[in-house]
Amino acid sequence: MSEALLELNGLSKAFGAHQVLDGVSARIRPGEIVGLLGPNGSGKSTLLNAISGFLPPDAGRVTIAGTDITARPAHVVTRAGLARTFQLPNMPTRMTTREVLRAGDVAAGAPRHMLRRTGRDDRIDALLEMFRLAHVADLPASSLSGGQKKLLSVALALRGSPRLLCLDEPTAGVHPELRTEMVRILKQAAGEGTTLLVIEHDMLFIRQLCSRCIVLDRGHLIADCAPDELEHNGAVVEAYLGKAVQKGKTAR
Amino acid sequence: MSDFLIHVSAVACLYGILALALNLQMGLSGLVNFGLIALFGCGTYGAAFAHLWGWPPLAGLALGLVFAALLGLFFARLGDRMSEDYWGIATLSLAEIMRLVFTNEQGLAGGAQGVSGLPVTFAALPADTAALARLALYAALLVVAFVICQRIARSGFGLSLKLMREEPQLARALGYDLARSRRIVMVVSSLMAAVSGFLYAHYLTFVGPEQLMSHETFLIWSMVIIGGIANNWGVVAGAILMQFALAYVPFVKDWFDVPSDFVAATRLIIVGGGILAFLIWRPKGIFPERIGGSHV
């Protein structure tokens, strides 16, 4: 097996008595597009927060390309090459869509760019066109629809050509036509060297995009297989649908 | 130009610098600082200590700048450990502690009596010329402070501050070190406040703890809120407007022949009522922040 880009070793996190992650271990190789699945409350977003520095794990280790980033601050993890989006992509009320993208551009650039005056940027215009946000470029970013905010957050995450891109439900609220476009954009990013970890409930999207899926249930990793194998995996079926009721027994 | 107008304009310029400092913190960066007057106090007491120790006035400026930078860094450090609202309370508390220490420690810059007899700026010039020279100096420094704030607001760093103000989680996800940004903003604005304090001390020729009363902080807040939060033009306009409004209260007292108590009470009403009225009916101020960044 080639060296992992992202390696999780025994990652655990509890909120009080509630064990949200319980010894999760996984390896993601460079260039993979991996779906992170599981029922609501299974710990997917918590795992993403623990990886990306937004929530320090109680135990375990996270490495990116061999660099230990366990419990490092989010900005340090970002600079190590990880970009992420959020399930609920809140956007600023007093910044335009273009300004938000520009802020992402500055963050991805050299520190000396920080004091340069900001202005129009052809690359940002191209990005706005690619994500079909050109018509809302000069509106407050908070006024965008839920789907447009998702697109903007993906566009932001791709600004710095990250080594690992973690997406938390990127297609929720996005128009079906744009989902296809998003699959194309994400595959293109993967082709250019970005590894993807995608939380998603839309199985069609997962099948179109991912080559591999890992599944969480109640904080445990219960499956690691190809998308087409998920429906034949007993543990996955049970996690989503519950245990089958045996003949002769009455469901209560 | 009458002495009165020169005086009010000079003080308005010094408050304008303070309003720009607060705007950099609160307007642009979302740092709700209720203890700004402590940073101003670093400048006034820098001047006072230099005078007491027989140092030249510029050494007092250097002392005030060092005090302010250290206090600004301490404020920023507190911000790493507290949420925004608790940080605001902590800054207010620290400013009050500073005032109480200077009030009660007799051996520290004269205690409640303060320090008087500081040399007035441009003392060697004839009185009329000196007054105009001071006004020109303060106006020039206000312009410098304004240019610095505009430059920051329109830079990439300014965009990161706006993002920190509104969506800190997104800013962190993009790779911004918010603690570092907070430190830079606090140091730059603290230095501006200290310069204002130093000049104020050498304008009044007196430094005392009553200059650090918390209502002074809220006067500066009123300038920012009324002028327009996160609009540098607006906060300078707010500072000038408020300073002139307060300066003309004694004339109103004379016109209506009301007791002297009226003056202090009316000033408080103008500040408190102004903040309240604008927050209710025009929360973006007279000159709102223009979204899109063509001016801030």
Side-chain angles (χ1 to χ4, degrees):
Chain A
M1 184 182 272
S2 63
E3 190 186 342
L5 178 73
L6 175 70
E7 186 158 6
L8 313 177
N9 277 314
L11 221 53
S12 295
K13 182 72 190 176
F15 297 115
H18 182 42
Q19 191 71 39
V20 183
L21 295 175
D22 194 359
V24 175
S25 297
R27 288 165 60 90
I28 296 176
R29 290 178 293 278
E32 276 193 303
I33 305 180
V34 178
L36 176 57
L37 309 178
N40 290 331
S42 58
K44 304 183 295 295
S45 293
T46 303
L47 181 63
L48 203 54
N49 287 336
I51 294 170
S52 58
F54 280 84
L55 196 64
D58 298 333
R61 191 162 177 262
V62 185
T63 59
I64 287 185
T67 305
D68 190 345
I69 56 160
T70 315
R72 301 304 306 274
H75 68 274
V76 174
V77 176
T78 302
R79 288 172 193 175
L82 184 148
R84 68 161 296 178
T85 67
F86 295 91
Q87 194 174 353
L88 298 171
N90 293 327
M91 289 293 163
T93 54
R94 288 186 279 163
M95 291 176 78
T96 62
T97 305
R98 186 188 302 281
E99 281 182 319
V100 173
L101 278 172
R102 180 76 182 121
D105 206 27
V106 172
R112 63 180 153 56
H113 293 158
M114 291 292 278
L115 282 176
R116 280 200 190 148
R117 189 169 168 166
T118 60
R120 288 189 75 90
D121 185 327
D122 291 341
R123 291 176 306 156
I124 287 178
D125 286 338
L127 202 66
L128 287 163
E129 286 292 338
M130 182 195 284
F131 282 88
R132 301 188 190 187
L133 294 169
H135 62 297
V136 292
D138 297 313
L139 294 180
S142 62
S143 68
L144 270 56
S145 70
Q148 287 171 327
K149 286 179 187 169
K150 288 276 184 188
L151 292 170
L152 176 56
S153 57
V154 174
L156 270 174
L158 283 171
R159 290 301 293 150
S161 302
R163 285 201 281 186
L164 175 65
L165 175 58
C166 299
L167 304 167
D168 198 345
E169 300 189 22
T171 68
V174 175
H175 190 275
E177 190 185 332
L178 281 176
R179 291 184 192 201
T180 310
E181 181 66 8
M182 197 182 285
V183 169
R184 189 190 66 75
I185 291 167
L186 293 176
K187 280 189 170 174
Q188 184 183 330
E192 291 167 2
T194 297
T195 304
L196 281 95
L197 178 63
V198 187
I199 296 178
E200 187 53 70
H201 291 291
D202 180 349
M203 285 310 297
L204 178 62
F205 182 78
I206 287 289
R207 284 198 178 93
Q208 287 175 328
L209 185 67
C210 300
S211 55
R212 177 184 157 209
C213 292
I214 54 180
V215 186
L216 288 179
D217 183 34
R218 285 172 284 184
H220 295 273
L221 198 149
I222 57 167
D224 185 345
C225 58
D228 290 340
E229 296 168 13
L230 287 171
E231 60 198 78
H232 308 296
N233 185 308
V236 174
V237 172
E238 189 180 312
Y240 276 94
L241 302 176
K243 279 188 176 177
V245 179
Q246 290 178 355
K247 279 184 180 177
K249 288 193 176 176
T250 308
R252 295 180 183 217
Chain B
M1 201 173 183
S2 75
D3 289 349
F4 176 74
L5 278 180
I6 292 172
H7 164 71
V8 177
S9 302
V11 177
C13 287
L14 297 181
Y15 273 98
I17 296 172
L18 278 176
L20 285 168
L22 180 61
N23 193 47
L24 194 55
Q25 295 174 6
M26 188 269 286
L28 192 63
S29 316
L31 303 172
V32 181
N33 184 358
F34 292 130
L36 183 79
I37 203 65
L39 303 167
F40 172 83
C42 291
T44 60
Y45 274 93
F49 284 126
H51 179 64
L52 284 174
W53 298 335
W55 293 2
L58 281 180
L61 175 62
L63 196 61
L65 292 175
V66 170
F67 285 162
L70 291 174
L71 188 59
L73 281 173
F74 183 61
F75 276 6
R77 183 76 178 157
L78 282 178
D80 297 345
R81 297 156 187 267
M82 292 180 185
S83 61
E84 185 183 301
D85 38 6
Y86 285 102
W87 186 75
I89 295 168
T91 55
L92 178 63
S93 306
L94 282 169
E96 278 297 285
I97 289 168
M98 182 172 164
R99 184 182 68 80
L100 289 169
V101 168
F102 279 117
T103 303
N104 293 295
E105 287 298 322
Q106 199 61 33
L108 198 63
Q113 305 302 317
V115 178
S116 54
L118 275 74
V120 68
T121 315
F122 300 123
L125 297 176
D128 288 353
T129 313
L132 281 173
R134 282 191 292 271
L135 175 57
L137 172 67
Y138 301 164
L141 288 171
L142 176 62
V143 170
V144 170
F146 178 84
V147 169
I148 291 171
C149 290
Q150 282 289 86
R151 181 78 195 259
I152 291 174
R154 291 179 173 182
S155 68
F157 181 58
L159 281 180
S160 75
L161 295 178
K162 288 182 186 178
L163 204 58
M164 174 172 84
R165 170 186 75 187
E166 298 199 42
E167 293 297 339
Q169 180 174 260
L170 180 58
R172 289 168 65 203
L174 289 178
Y176 287 114
D177 180 353
L178 302 194
R180 180 174 170 274
S181 300
R182 202 180 291 118
R183 284 197 299 272
I184 293 171
V185 167
M186 285 307 299
V187 169
V188 171
S189 55
S190 299
L191 295 178
M192 286 167 56
V195 168
S196 174
F198 171 81
L199 294 171
Y200 192 72
H202 282 285
Y203 181 70
L204 291 188
T205 70
F206 169 77
V207 173
E210 70 272 15
Q211 292 164 347
L212 305 182
M213 298 284 280
S214 59
H215 63 67
E216 288 292 327
T217 290
F218 291 103
L219 169 61
I220 303 156
W221 269 81
S222 72
M223 293 166 175
V224 173
I225 290 170
I226 291 170
I229 299 168
N231 184 324
N232 289 323
W233 291 102
V235 301
V236 171
I240 294 168
L241 182 72
M242 286 301 289
Q243 201 51 46
F244 273 84
L246 297 180
Y248 277 92
V249 170
F251 295 103
V252 176
K253 179 201 74 127
D254 292 342
W255 293 334
F256 291 98
D257 195 23
V258 290
S260 296
D261 295 351
F262 172 87
V263 174
T266 303
R267 283 181 170 157
L268 287 176
I269 289 169
I270 289 174
V271 172
I275 290 176
L276 199 59
F278 270 81
L279 287 179
I280 293 171
W281 289 297
R282 199 175 167 88
K284 293 177 182 172
I286 297 170
F287 301 101
E289 176 183 14
R290 193 167 144 193
I291 298 169
S294 60
H295 76 256
V296 175

